[in-house]
Amino acid sequence: LIRILKGIASGQEKNAALPQPWHIARVFEVLSKKDCSQPEMVGLEFAYYPALKHDKYGMPHLMAEILSNPESFMELICLVYKPSNAKLEPAPGNLRASAETAGCLLHSGRGVPGLESNGEIVRESFFSWINRVRVLAKEKDREVITDLKIGTWLSNWPINQDFDCWPDPVIAELLDMDDCEDIRQGFCTVYNSRGVTSRMPYDGGLQERKVAEEFRRFSIHWKDSKPNVASMIEGLAESYEQEARRHDEDGLWAQEW
């Protein structure tokens, strides 16, 4: 199975029909129960990321590698983004497909280093990964984009999740640091994680106001202990209030018609 998957990914199986994503994911489920090496599974999951990203199987070996090995995360960054002080050049032909996959993974991937199966974050593991990635980013002259992507990966949609506070206190500790402005900016991409909504023509911005209320509750929680985090979340609440007003106006127009 591994030989066939590698052959298809590399274009060696020229006469083989490309399997459907569902079938590919089932093959990976079988392989994950076999005695396959971690590096081999990481490479295959990366090669088949477009077929696996929406399947319940996911990319468990690839994600575990990225979230335990800062060098692997930085390798993705370097595949996609040029150094800050270098001219933009297209990726070499032999790396173009890998760069595209890395770009998609960095854009849509989410994960927290040090996260245990019980949902708790091991603080030492978390900050060891974060600090090492940021050191590598400085060495590679990609500090800003790396911080932005760190923030994006740490973000998660908190509404209707029964959270007493958000984000997790370990993540909040990082986000509140004065030198983490770009990480906070990346984290705020959570604004785009809400998903599709539906409403009646005259509902206005009721849904957005409820979201804003929840964000404000989280902001108040951190107001005294984590002022940068509180301000960041308050900004999310204000953005949803603005969106609510836009929907109010749309509802008024609908009534007039």
Side-chain angles (χ1 to χ4, degrees), residues 70-139:
E71 284 75 11
S72 294
F73 186 81
M74 202 64 226
E75 186 176 350
L76 296 176
I77 295 286
C78 291
L79 271 172
V80 181
Y81 299 101
K82 69 178 181 67
S84 298
N85 296 305
K87 293 181 179 179
L88 180 61
E89 296 179 359
N94 62 325
L95 293 179
R96 197 162 297 157
S98 294
E100 289 178 0
T101 298
C104 292
L105 182 54
L106 286 171
H107 176 73
S108 60
R110 299 292 184 276
V112 179
L115 181 65
E116 300 281 90
S117 58
N118 62 3
E120 294 185 2
I121 301 174
V122 179
R123 183 184 181 280
E124 292 76 12
S125 300
F126 176 84
F127 277 102
S128 175
W129 189 94
I130 294 291
N131 293 337
R132 179 58 181 161
V133 167
R134 299 187 83 192
V135 167
L136 291 170
K138 186 173 183 178
E139 293 175 357

Side-chain angles (χ1 to χ4, degrees), residues 14-246:
K14 295 182 179 180
N15 297 322
L18 188 64
Q20 294 296 313
W22 186 90
H23 294 105
I24 291 174
R26 304 294 76 76
V27 171
F28 273 88
E29 285 183 346
V30 172
L31 290 176
S32 67
K33 299 174 184 177
K34 302 291 184 181
D35 190 22
C36 301
S37 70
Q38 171 75 0
E40 203 160 37
M41 291 300 294
V42 168
L44 285 171
E45 287 178 0
F46 181 81
Y48 283 90
Y49 171 76
L52 298 174
K53 62 181 178 179
H54 295 306
D55 191 86
K56 63 179 181 179
Y57 171 80
M59 296 81 57
H61 300 84
L62 176 60
M63 293 301 292
E65 169 65 21
I66 293 170
L67 294 172
S68 63
N69 188 348
E71 284 75 11
S72 294
F73 186 81
M74 202 64 226
E75 186 176 350
L76 296 176
I77 295 286
C78 291
L79 271 172
V80 181
Y81 299 101
K82 69 178 181 67
S84 298
N85 296 305
K87 293 181 179 179
L88 180 61
E89 296 179 359
N94 62 325
L95 293 179
R96 197 162 297 157
S98 294
E100 289 178 0
T101 298
C104 292
L105 182 54
L106 286 171
H107 176 73
S108 60
R110 299 292 184 276
V112 179
L115 181 65
E116 300 281 90
S117 58
N118 62 3
E120 294 185 2
I121 301 174
V122 179
R123 183 184 181 280
E124 292 76 12
S125 300
F126 176 84
F127 277 102
S128 175
W129 189 94
I130 294 291
N131 293 337
R132 179 58 181 161
V133 167
R134 299 187 83 192
V135 167
L136 291 170
K138 186 173 183 178
E139 293 175 357
K140 302 291 185 180
D141 192 24
R142 293 170 171 88
E143 291 177 88
V144 173
I145 188 59
T146 300
D147 275 1
L148 288 170
K149 290 303 175 183
I150 288 173
T152 298
W153 270 55
L154 297 178
S155 65
N156 65 314
W157 182 250
I159 308 304
N160 299 323
Q161 302 292 328
D162 285 333
F163 291 153
D164 292 328
C165 71
W166 175 85
D168 182 280
V170 175
I171 297 176
E173 182 181 348
L174 171 71
L175 292 172
D176 199 59
M177 295 179 179
D178 289 336
D179 68 340
C180 289
E181 183 177 353
D182 289 321
I183 296 181
R184 289 193 293 274
Q185 183 179 339
F187 189 88
C188 286
T189 57
V190 71
Y191 181 89
N192 301 318
S193 303
R194 185 183 177 198
V196 178
T197 63
S198 61
R199 71 193 71 224
M200 297 299 290
Y202 310 140
D203 283 352
L206 179 62
Q207 295 180 38
E208 287 68 30
R209 284 190 176 83
K210 290 181 178 179
V211 171
E213 288 173 4
E214 279 294 281
F215 276 126
R216 186 152 285 122
R217 178 173 68 85
F218 295 135
S219 175
I220 292 172
H221 175 88
W222 297 113
K223 184 177 180 180
D224 295 328
S225 61
K226 300 281 190 295
N228 286 331
V229 173
S231 176
M232 177 192 72
I233 302 175
E234 175 63 25
L236 290 168
E238 291 174 357
S239 294
Y240 268 98
E241 286 177 339
Q242 292 175 6
E243 188 173 338
R245 289 191 287 272
R246 290 196 294 270

